[in-house]
Amino acid sequence: MAILVTGGLGYVGSHAVKLLMDSGREVISYDNLLFGHKEASSGSTIVVGDLLDLDKLRDTFDRHPIDSVMHFAALADVGDSVTNPHQYYSVNVTGSLNLAKAMVEHNIKNLIFSSSAAVFGEPEVVPIPEGHPKNPTNPYGRSKLMFEEILAEFEVAYGIKSVSLRYFNASGADPSGLIGEDHTPEHHLIPIVLQVALAQREQVTIFGGDWDTPDGSCIRDYVHVTDLAQAHLRALESLENGGPSAVYNMGNGSGYSVKEVIRLSEEITGKPIKSVVGPRRAGDPARLVASSDRIKKELGWEPKYPELRTIIKTAWDWHSSHPNGYSVR
Ligand code: UFG
């Protein structure tokens, strides 16, 4: 039997596909190639398709012996979601509904869903436990929360079981050096900082220097992408073994400020990284740090690369050996 991985050629999806392939699974990577790269397939079967194309989804389930789905495909830029909410609800909610509909039609019951720390909004307590109130501060976070809630209803109505994994800040690159992060345009902090180290950008703009944090810049919980991928495998195995639906926060429980990320990146790369403080970015909470105790306790997940230093080092190994990402220019 095969696993369908939507967004399987994107950043986090490709890391899960690699682990699935390494463990001998048959994998179908369903991706519209907007942010995905064929070079990131790890030998999985590629289906070029869009979540908004319900017939293509149906056709994919018809053609392949799929029994579980990992759902990564989404639009995931917080700032962009504030200016383009229609697109975010369309892809992340309507697209996900199409996928769930095709699953119901094909009697497929197991789904691992890429959710986000953005469902919480400004936290009342940190580290944030799963049960923390959900008040998303941007359409991206709301779109993820909506689909989490839809999944609970789909379990009651159609028997689809799901594990939603709420990523905090996915970062780093697989230590194999074969796959890594390659977004165009790039919005994420660590790759942008490393592009400055590679002299591909002149400087990084720190989005706000007046946040209520010790150094005035935003605090985030960076979690290694290979550790996230590993959590997907654990979650899949749990559902396959009859485990219940669940929601888990995925982070390391340590927060680092934007300025700390820049300083540590200078140390790791040995290059000066010029930064300037600019205005705050719309939709950003000041501080997001996860409590991931629940997935550790219930699924035995343990991050292999919890140190920010290792996360930045693996990202640097990838970016410095692939300065143009997957494309050879
Ligand atoms: N930042 C800058 N300058 C930049 C880019 C980012 O200062 O050029 C800051 C952001 O304001 C934020 C931090 O660096 O404080 C990290 O920003 P990213 O864009 O790398 O990541 P986000 O925290 O905005 O978002 C990420 C994921 C989302 C997820 C969120 C939850 O991309 O999908 O983490 O924490 F919802």
Side-chain angles (χ1 to χ4, degrees):
M1 296 302 283
I3 318 289
L4 180 77
V5 183
T6 74
L9 305 178
Y11 173 44
V12 188
S14 65
H15 283 74
V17 165
K18 180 172 186 303
L19 287 193
L20 287 166
M21 293 297 289
D22 288 350
S23 68
R25 304 269 196 155
E26 185 180 342
V27 179
I28 316 298
S29 293
Y30 186 93
D31 200 298
N32 66 4
L33 296 178
L34 196 60
F35 298 107
H37 304 273
K38 285 187 171 165
E39 299 83 349
S41 72
S42 297
S44 60
T45 301
I46 296 175
V47 175
V48 179
D50 199 286
L51 288 178
L52 293 172
D53 187 348
L54 179 56
D55 286 337
K56 183 79 183 181
L57 283 166
R58 287 176 167 140
D59 180 65
T60 306
F61 284 111
D62 285 340
R63 285 172 191 265
H64 302 277
I66 295 161
D67 65 353
S68 297
V69 176
M70 288 189 184
H71 178 30
F72 295 89
L75 295 178
D77 174 4
V78 169
D80 189 31
S81 80
V82 177
T83 40
N84 287 311
H86 177 267
Q87 247 189 318
Y88 277 70
Y89 291 117
S90 173
V91 174
N92 296 359
V93 181
T94 309
S96 298
L97 272 173
N98 282 344
L99 175 68
K101 183 173 170 64
M103 286 179 66
V104 171
E105 289 171 358
H106 291 78
N107 200 29
I108 292 160
K109 303 286 190 196
N110 296 337
L111 176 67
I112 314 299
F113 172 54
S114 300
S115 187
S116 171
V119 300
F120 294 111
E122 197 63 62
E124 290 168 13
V125 287
V126 283
I128 306 172
E130 282 80 359
H132 185 286
K134 321 289 181 297
N135 295 305
T137 50
N138 52 66
Y140 168 68
R142 192 172 304 281
S143 73
K144 290 289 177 178
L145 181 59
M146 285 167 89
F147 196 61
E148 277 191 15
E149 291 170 348
I150 287 168
L151 282 175
E153 294 168 347
F154 270 47
E155 176 163 20
V156 175
Y158 310 116
I160 290 185
K161 287 200 302 172
S162 65
V163 175
S164 294
L165 299 175
R166 295 181 183 139
Y167 312 160
F168 281 59
N169 287 67
S171 36
D174 193 73
S176 68
L178 297 172
I179 52 176
E181 190 163 10
D182 179 2
H183 294 116
T184 307
E186 186 55 74
H187 297 285
H188 293 109
L189 179 66
I190 291 178
I192 286 176
V193 164
L194 298 180
Q195 285 170 356
V196 179
L198 283 168
Q200 293 175 329
R201 288 178 192 255
E202 196 195 327
Q203 62 190 30
V204 52
T205 302
I206 299 168
F207 294 147
D210 56 353
W211 296 93
D212 184 18
T213 59
D215 68 16
S217 66
C218 279
I219 289 179
R220 292 289 182 272
D221 184 342
Y222 296 89
V223 54
H224 197 285
V225 64
T226 302
D227 286 330
L228 282 181
Q230 195 63 53
H232 285 75
L233 262 69
R234 296 266 175 164
L236 176 65
E237 285 161 8
S238 166
L239 292 186
E240 286 174 340
N241 294 329
S245 293
V247 177
Y248 296 115
N249 287 355
M250 302 298 315
N252 282 309
S254 311
Y256 293 93
S257 73
V258 173
K259 289 181 183 171
E260 285 174 319
V261 168
I262 295 171
R263 262 201 309 278
L264 189 56
S265 299
E266 282 187 316
E267 197 187 310
I268 289 167
T269 62
K271 315 265 185 200
I273 295 169
K274 186 177 169 201
S275 61
V276 292
V277 175
R280 292 181 176 193
R281 182 174 63 176
D284 259 346
R287 184 192 298 255
L288 285 172
V289 179
S291 162
S292 293
D293 293 347
R294 187 189 279 181
I295 188 165
K296 289 180 176 169
K297 190 160 153 265
E298 294 184 3
L299 299 189
W301 176 75
E302 265 311 321
K304 234 172 123 177
Y305 311 104
E307 302 293 332
L308 182 62
R309 180 176 291 278
T310 319
I311 291 173
I312 296 177
K313 174 75 173 66
T314 57
W316 177 238
D317 288 346
W318 162 258
H319 286 286
S320 53
S321 60
H322 298 78
N324 298 310
Y326 288 100
S327 54
V328 183
R329 281 189 288 246

